[in-house]
């Protein structure tokens, strides 16, 4: 249970905040729960405390975060494009209705 692991790691870090292994393990659990931003911060802290293998995790999670952001941007661009296309289709219909009502 990741939620329980997070709770225990956070309590342990309250007692020993500079325990590099605890920080690294916290980062791993955060990553497993898809809290990439917090995991990145924890991995960076673990690296700063001397966990050299955290550098690999930092690169990997950085790529995950970037990939998610790019995907979100692409989805948003696609949504905007579809909204513009729909608006362009609706505009002529609205103009036709207005012209028809002005003739009456």
């Amino acid at each position: 249970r990741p939620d329980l692991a997070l709770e225990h790691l956070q309590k342990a870090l309250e007692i020993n905040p500079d325990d590099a292994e605890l920080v690294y393990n916290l980062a791993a659990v955060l990553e497993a729960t898809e809290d990439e931003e917090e995991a990145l911060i924890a991995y960076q802290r673990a690296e700063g405390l001397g966990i050299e293998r955290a550098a690999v995790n930092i690169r990997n999670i950085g790529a995950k975060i970037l990939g998610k952001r790019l995907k979100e941007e692409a989805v948003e661009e696609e949504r905007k494009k579809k909204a513009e296309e729909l608006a362009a289709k609706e505009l002529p219909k609205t103009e036709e209705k207005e012209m028809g009502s002005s003739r009456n």
Side-chain angles (χ1 to χ4, degrees):
R1 290 189 35 200
D3 58 328
L4 192 56
L6 283 173
E7 184 180 328
H8 288 290
L9 286 165
Q10 288 166 339
K11 284 182 183 179
L13 283 167
E14 287 175 13
I15 296 166
N16 193 359
D18 294 326
D19 185 316
E21 287 295 331
L22 285 175
V23 174
Y24 182 84
N25 290 336
L26 175 64
V29 174
L30 288 167
E31 183 177 6
T33 61
E34 298 185 6
D35 190 351
E36 284 95 359
E37 299 285 341
E38 290 299 316
L40 177 60
I41 292 167
Y43 280 131
Q44 290 169 333
R45 184 159 178 254
E47 183 182 39
L49 290 169
I51 304 291
E52 293 178 19
R53 67 186 183 276
V56 173
N57 300 90
I58 291 168
R59 282 192 304 274
N60 291 342
I61 203 159
K64 277 185 191 178
I65 292 168
L66 180 60
K68 278 187 173 182
R69 287 183 184 160
L70 292 174
K71 184 177 179 181
E72 289 169 0
E73 289 174 10
V75 167
E76 181 63 19
E77 284 299 315
E78 185 63 24
R79 186 197 64 76
K80 285 180 182 178
K81 183 179 174 184
K82 286 182 180 180
E84 289 170 0
E85 289 171 358
L86 181 61
K89 288 180 184 177
E90 292 296 320
L91 186 60
K93 291 179 185 177
T94 304
E95 289 174 350
E96 286 176 15
K97 287 181 183 177
E98 288 174 0
M99 290 178 74
S101 64
S102 66
R103 290 182 192 155
N104 293 333

